[in-house]
């Protein structure tokens, strides 16, 4: 039986308190070391169970595991993309001017960056339950779109994620309580526009990096 | 529960009293006023469920989260009534998810507050009588039932609820989970609901949700569960 890939928690590209005041150090610490780590632990465990089921030709067990694998793998992928598309407000990458091509495309699509942000925030606040808001690019038409994914669903095939915002309550509750509107507003201070521009100019696999294989398996 | 979910306005109540002597049919056609959903009072203080659930959580959960569902439901209902009046079927269909979400949030939280109680008001312990019999028939014993219920709670992927429900066809009880604010309707009657949204526990337990699920059993109001089973 071939042993499956073991996934590990990627280090944050900044300190836990580096996104304050938009996101508190306590939230970032729990979110990264506990929540993200739990998705990885559960993913690794599910992949071991799946390898066992596969070696026994137990198709029913494999099907039952798919749900847990999708959820945990999605949690790992989504959080990895999220950490990467944030950066301290003081960083030059936090300036929209570091994404000239994307901002031009956003302005062409929504009129202005501000109008896009208003629309994006309205979509975030419209989520019913846990989930994510995404700026994506359709891989066929190249059109930009704002979409949501529920729970830990990844963006669907045919859409390249450029920017992901976590709207699970654990992403903001300790700091913002039920005022998720303020979280959604504040997050724009710490968006890594340089990274979002890179994704805009890259192929789909480039966006997912070392998780491209995992992404195409779910 | 229906009496706590809706409270007609003062004007509507006067109209109802004024029409009380008339025949019900006539009254409905002349003085019907649409009732608005309102936030029910908690049957205990915010701090009364400590240490299982902190006073701060209870206050935010009741005054802010539950109130938002009440407001959202009333807003969606008004829009629905307007669409109905215009015979705009597409608009009525488009409003269904909002009605389900906010109406479900209102119903679920109302049931939740009622099926909790501080220990000094009888919360915790083990079910007796008909509830005990039904749980044992389905799950063997109370301890196995609790374990299965907690496993169901822990397995919810995202926001949602776990319920002990009665299957209206067989009369048997079972544990079921529901996503987001989906209400227990149709084939099942809700008996006991536990909120597994992160806002229900995060300020006190953070990511250690299993500790919340373990502690909630100290404040279950089994008397309410028994009344719902009847």
């Amino acid at each position: 039986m071939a042993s499956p890939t073991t996934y590990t928690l990627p280090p944050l590209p900044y300190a836990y308190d580096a996104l304050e005041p938009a996101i508190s150090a306590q939230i970032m610490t729990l979110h990264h070391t506990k929540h993200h780590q739990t998705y990885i632990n559960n993913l690794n465990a599910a992949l071991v169970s799946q390898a066992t089921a596969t070696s026994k030709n137990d198709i029913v067990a494999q099907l039952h595991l798919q749900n847990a694998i999708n959820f945990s793998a999605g949690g790992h992928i989504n959080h990895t993309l999220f950490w990467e598309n944030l950066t301290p407000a003081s960083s030059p990458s936090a300036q929209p001017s570091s994404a000239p091509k994307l901002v031009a495309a956003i302005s062409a699509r929504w009129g202005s960056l501000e109008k896009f942000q208003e629309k994006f925030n309205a979509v975030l606040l419209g989520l019913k339950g846990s989930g994510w808001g995404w700026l994506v690019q359709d891989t066929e038409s190249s059109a930009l779109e704002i979409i949501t994914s529920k729970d830990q669903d990844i963006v669907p095939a045919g859409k390249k994620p450029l920017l992901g915002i976590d709207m699970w309550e654990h992403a903001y509750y300790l700091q913002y309580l039920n005022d998720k509107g303020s979280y959604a507003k504040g997050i724009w201070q710490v968006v890594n526009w340089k990274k979002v521009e890179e994704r805009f100019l890259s192929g789909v696999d480039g966006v997912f990096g070392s998780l491209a294989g995992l992404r195409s398996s779910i | 529960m229906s009496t706590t979910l809706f409270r007609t306005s003062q004007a509507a109540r006067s109209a109802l009293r004024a029409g009380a002597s008339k025949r019900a049919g006539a009254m409905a056609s002349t003085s019907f006023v649409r009732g608005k959903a309102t936030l029910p009072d908690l049957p205990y203080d915010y701090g009364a469920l400590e240490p299982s659930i902190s006073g701060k959580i209870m206050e935010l959960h009741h005054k802010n989260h539950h109130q938002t569902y009440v407001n959202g439901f009333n807003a969606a209902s008004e829009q629905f009534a307007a669409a109905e009046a215009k015979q705009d079927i597409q608009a009525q269909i488009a409003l269904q998810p909002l009605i389900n979400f906010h109406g479900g949030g209102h119903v679920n939280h109302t049931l939740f507050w009622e099926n909790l109680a501080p220990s000094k008001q009888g919360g915790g312990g083990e079910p007796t009588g008909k509830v005990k019999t039904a749980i044992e028939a389905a799950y063997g014993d109370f301890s196995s039932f609790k374990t299965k219920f907690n496993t169901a709670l822990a397995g919810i992927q995202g926001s949602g609820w776990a319920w002990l429900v009665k299957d209206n066809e067989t009369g048997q009880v079972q544990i079921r989970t529901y996503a987001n604010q989906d209400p227990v309707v149709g084939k099942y009657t809700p008996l006991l609901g536990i909120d597994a949204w992160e806002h229900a526990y995060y300020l006190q337990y953070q990511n250690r949700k299993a500790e919340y699920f373990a502690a909630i059993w100290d404040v279950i109001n089994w008397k309410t569960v028994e009344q719902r089973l009847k």
Side-chain angles (χ1 to χ4, degrees):
Chain A
M1 184 180 99
S3 61
T5 308
T6 302
Y7 293 92
T8 54
L9 185 67
L12 277 192
Y14 36 76
Y16 287 119
D17 64 358
L19 303 186
E20 291 195 345
I23 310 178
S24 73
Q26 191 193 9
I27 288 179
M28 288 301 294
T29 306
L30 281 162
H31 203 169
H32 183 251
T33 65
K34 306 287 175 183
H35 291 279
H36 191 169
Q37 182 69 61
T38 301
Y39 290 112
I40 292 169
N41 295 347
N42 291 341
L43 171 63
N44 287 333
L47 291 175
V48 169
S49 303
Q50 190 195 42
T52 308
T54 306
S55 71
K56 289 195 222 158
N57 285 323
D58 186 343
I59 294 173
V60 173
Q62 289 177 59
L63 290 173
H64 279 150
L65 281 161
Q66 205 55 52
N67 186 36
I69 291 172
N70 288 352
F71 182 67
S72 305
H76 180 29
I77 291 168
N78 290 338
H79 283 93
T80 302
L81 293 172
F82 182 53
W83 308 136
E84 287 173 357
N85 67 215
L86 299 179
T87 194
S90 58
S91 153
S93 309
Q95 298 301 320
S97 56
S98 56
K101 292 200 171 73
L102 175 63
V103 170
I106 284 175
S107 299
R109 168 72 179 77
W110 283 284
S112 68
L113 182 61
E114 292 68 34
K115 282 185 187 152
F116 157 73
Q117 287 171 331
E118 269 172 38
K119 179 83 187 161
F120 195 101
N121 283 9
V123 170
L124 289 178
L125 298 188
L127 270 163
K128 300 182 185 75
S130 302
W132 294 73
W134 299 94
L135 171 65
V136 300
Q137 186 180 27
D138 189 282
T139 54
E140 281 181 13
S141 70
S142 297
L144 295 177
E145 289 172 54
I146 300 167
I147 64 168
T148 60
S149 67
K150 70 175 175 61
D151 303 326
Q152 292 300 353
D153 287 354
I154 58 172
V155 302
K159 311 283 179 195
K160 180 174 70 169
L162 306 181
L163 169 68
I165 303 298
D166 190 347
M167 284 307 284
W168 281 58
E169 290 177 320
H170 67 235
Y172 61 83
Y173 207 82
L174 292 179
Q175 186 178 355
Y176 294 96
L177 308 173
N178 63 304
D179 183 15
K180 57 185 174 178
S182 293
Y183 162 69
K185 242 182 227 167
I187 198 98
W188 295 103
Q189 303 300 314
V190 292
V191 165
N192 188 336
W193 287 102
K194 185 162 173 260
K195 177 51 108 177
V196 181
E197 175 93 340
E198 267 173 43
R199 290 177 181 165
F200 182 56
L201 302 175
S202 135
V204 174
D205 280 358
V207 170
F208 291 96
S210 64
L211 298 180
L214 179 65
R215 177 253 176 185
S216 54
S217 76
I218 62 172
Chain B
M1 189 187 72
S2 55
T3 52
T4 56
L5 280 177
F6 282 97
R7 234 172 270 162
T8 45
S9 68
Q10 193 60 47
R13 280 199 297 276
S14 309
L16 288 170
R17 274 197 301 275
S21 58
K22 299 176 190 165
R23 294 194 61 80
M27 188 183 83
S29 62
T30 54
S31 60
F32 176 75
V33 179
R34 186 173 288 268
K36 276 198 183 255
T38 52
L39 184 68
D41 294 333
L42 275 193
Y44 35 77
D45 294 337
Y46 288 130
L49 303 184
E50 293 192 350
S52 292
I53 309 177
S54 74
K56 184 159 186 213
I57 288 179
M58 287 301 294
E59 186 171 356
L60 278 161
H61 202 170
H62 179 252
K63 274 208 312 220
N64 294 41
H65 290 279
H66 190 167
Q67 183 70 60
T68 301
Y69 292 115
V70 170
N71 297 346
F73 176 70
N74 285 331
S77 298
E78 270 173 37
Q79 291 172 41
F80 189 87
E84 227 176 356
K86 284 192 269 178
Q87 297 189 319
D88 184 343
I89 296 176
Q90 277 129 317
Q92 290 175 59
I93 294 169
L95 282 162
Q96 293 297 333
L98 276 178
I99 290 174
N100 184 70
F101 182 67
H102 291 287
H106 179 32
V107 171
N108 290 338
H109 284 94
T110 302
L111 291 167
F112 181 52
W113 309 136
E114 288 172 358
N115 67 216
L116 299 179
S119 53
K120 64 174 190 294
Q121 289 175 36
E126 295 195 11
T128 54
K130 221 179 143 186
V131 176
K132 178 184 160 79
T133 309
I135 285 176
E136 287 177 352
Y139 296 99
D141 55 60
F142 181 63
S143 156
S144 310
F145 160 73
K146 248 175 35 173
T147 303
K148 289 218 168 66
F149 202 106
N150 284 356
T151 303
L153 280 165
I156 292 172
Q157 295 176 339
S159 302
W161 293 73
W163 291 90
L164 176 68
V165 302
K166 181 178 77 173
D167 183 324
N168 297 329
E169 288 170 10
T170 65
Q172 287 168 338
V173 300
Q174 58 173 291
I175 299 161
R176 292 176 58 82
T177 59
Y178 288 74
N180 303 321
Q181 295 298 355
D182 287 353
V184 182
V185 290
K187 192 184 165 193
Y188 302 102
T189 300
L191 303 177
L192 168 67
I194 305 298
D195 191 346
W197 279 59
E198 288 175 321
H199 67 236
Y201 61 83
Y202 208 82
L203 290 181
Q204 187 176 356
Y205 297 97
Q206 289 90 41
N207 62 302
R208 306 179 314 278
K209 58 183 176 180
E211 291 178 25
Y212 161 65
F213 300 147
I216 195 96
W217 296 100
D218 294 337
V219 291
I220 298 299
N221 187 339
W222 290 108
K223 264 186 220 133
T224 297
V225 179
E226 173 130 17
Q227 283 159 11
R228 289 177 185 164
L229 184 60
K230 276 173 186 163

